[in-house]
Amino acid sequence: MLIDTYGRVATDLRVSLTDRCNLRCAYCMPEEGLQWLSKPDLLTDDEIVRLIDVAVTSLGIEEVRFTGGEPLLRPGMVGIVERIAALAPRPRMSLTTNGIGLRRTAEALKTAGLDRVNVSLDTLRPDVFKTLTRRDRHHDVLAGLAAAAEAGLLPVKINAVLIPGLNDDEAPDLLAWAMEHAYELRFIEQMPLDAQHGWKREGMVTASDILASLRTRFELTAEGSQERGSAPAERWIVDGGPHRVGVIASVTRPFCAACDRTRLTADGQIRTCLFATEETDLRAALRGGAPDEEIARIWRLAMWGKKAGSGLDDPSFLQPERPMSAIGG
């Protein structure tokens, strides 16, 4: 079991498979990209599988989410999913992706054992997509979403970030489109995880802003905290159902008290929070010949030291040194 001093138990593992990405989203990284991790620093496929095995069989992890950077850039992605699906107990598996590679991989991922996907899509307008991501790949994301649905990677969830002056007017259109295609839409407040440290709390599109915009076209009924559980998204029933929309208000409505996550970076570091400024090295123990029991002990110790909150509600918040692409969103 992975428990901290506040009684929270981690059952959800987020695994970053790579720090690389084939987009350059303005809220994540600079246009020229970043200094990527060298291959020797990255965990191998075997090392990733072994650490997940320890987490599932010895530490009570029930769900594994593969993230990046862009996880579909990892050559061994399908094989990793297949090997994790063979574990006993078998964890639920999902993927957070920009969707560009889904058209060619969705069917193979489903066959390997992946359960569902989260796809990032911030706009329905190709020109705005190009401005936000600095790449002309909007059509590829739409094709990837369709391929995921056809392959049965359900429910297909869409993550959208609204940026002032760019796409902050699109919330109702995004929801109407998602409902039409039977996708589940979730808006995420922009978080301070960009490499260029350009995030500012002032002027950001908040959860309240998003809900006010949606209510200009839809009737929203709160689903309630009992239905939410430890999920990061507050959800609302749209026009009486069956469709729902979620808002992840990491900045203005932190949900740290119910957090059940632990994170493994692409280079083998344990992070107890997306916004943590400290990490615990599992790669060194792994490559130093440590048995599974020792790795589990180190992981438990790291989780025991998890802080009460993210610190985002503190005006003196210290932004993590590593951008989202290296941590895994």
Side-chain angles (χ1 to χ4, degrees):
M1 179 183 293
L2 287 171
I3 188 170
D4 65 31
T5 54
Y6 300 93
R8 296 169 297 191
V9 177
T11 58
D12 185 333
L13 170 62
R14 307 296 170 98
V15 180
S16 174
L17 295 180
T18 179
D19 60 330
R20 297 174 185 265
C21 189
N22 43 11
L23 296 180
R24 296 291 181 271
C25 295
Y27 53 78
C28 184
M29 68 173 72
E31 186 171 2
E32 64 274 15
L34 300 168
Q35 183 175 350
W36 309 119
L37 293 167
S38 63
K39 189 171 181 180
D41 289 335
L42 292 169
L43 293 175
T44 66
D45 291 1
D46 287 344
E47 288 171 336
I48 289 171
V49 171
R50 183 181 169 196
L51 290 175
I52 296 176
D53 187 354
V54 170
V56 170
T57 60
S58 301
L59 297 173
I61 291 298
E62 299 172 357
E63 181 165 355
V64 176
R65 170 86 61 87
F66 296 107
T67 70
E70 172 45 49
L72 293 181
L73 293 179
R74 178 94 186 193
M77 170 84 208
V78 173
I80 290 171
V81 170
E82 188 172 33
R83 292 169 69 182
I84 300 307
L87 296 179
R90 180 200 186 280
R92 297 184 299 275
M93 282 185 290
S94 58
L95 167 72
T96 294
T97 172
N98 62 30
I100 288 175
L102 269 179
R103 179 166 52 180
R104 60 179 173 76
T105 57
E107 189 63 43
L109 287 167
K110 178 63 177 179
T111 300
L114 192 71
D115 295 304
R116 63 171 190 82
V117 294
N118 285 30
V119 179
S120 298
L121 179 65
D122 303 322
T123 178
L124 298 176
R125 304 193 293 249
D127 59 324
V128 176
F129 182 91
K130 188 174 181 179
T131 299
L132 274 169
T133 68
R134 306 181 178 107
R135 298 290 187 272
D136 188 13
R137 305 297 297 272
H138 190 258
H139 57 290
D140 290 318
V141 179
L142 299 186
L145 281 162
E150 185 176 352
L153 293 168
L154 304 173
V156 174
K157 296 184 179 181
I158 294 176
N159 295 337
V161 176
L162 299 182
I163 307 296
L166 276 177
N167 63 339
D168 53 340
D169 61 334
E170 285 198 68
D173 290 339
L174 279 164
L175 179 53
W177 179 83
M179 290 167 59
E180 178 186 348
H181 291 82
Y183 302 143
E184 184 175 326
L185 178 62
R186 307 190 312 171
F187 292 98
I188 304 176
E189 288 183 337
Q190 184 185 359
M191 294 179 284
L193 289 168
D194 57 309
Q196 56 271 42
H197 301 308
W199 178 87
K200 290 181 175 59
R201 185 185 300 267
E202 301 79 15
M204 63 171 285
V205 181
T206 67
S208 296
D209 297 331
I210 294 165
L211 292 170
S213 179
L214 292 175
R215 286 187 170 116
T216 63
R217 195 183 305 181
F218 303 98
E219 179 184 343
L220 302 181
T221 305
E223 193 175 55
S225 57
Q226 187 172 1
E227 290 290 334
R228 180 182 182 183
S230 62
E234 295 180 77
R235 297 203 308 176
W236 281 262
I237 301 167
V238 183
D239 291 343
H243 298 290
R244 285 164 171 73
V245 63
V247 178
I248 299 178
S250 302
V251 178
T252 62
R253 305 179 189 175
F255 40 86
C256 302
C259 181
D260 65 350
R261 290 159 195 79
T262 183
R263 297 174 182 275
L264 177 65
T265 68
D267 55 349
Q269 310 300 304
I270 288 298
R271 296 178 68 93
T272 57
C273 175
L274 189 59
F275 303 101
T277 56
E278 300 170 348
E279 299 176 331
T280 300
D281 189 0
L282 287 185
R283 185 187 63 196
L286 196 68
R287 295 180 179 178
D292 289 355
E293 294 78 9
E294 175 62 10
I295 292 170
R297 186 194 68 81
I298 296 171
W299 206 328
R300 288 191 190 98
L301 189 61
M303 184 55 56
W304 187 249
K306 184 173 183 173
K307 295 180 179 179
S310 64
L312 282 176
D313 53 352
D314 184 345
S316 62
F317 169 74
L318 181 63
Q319 186 168 347
E321 287 300 315
R322 298 219 282 176
M324 185 186 296
S325 61
I327 300 168

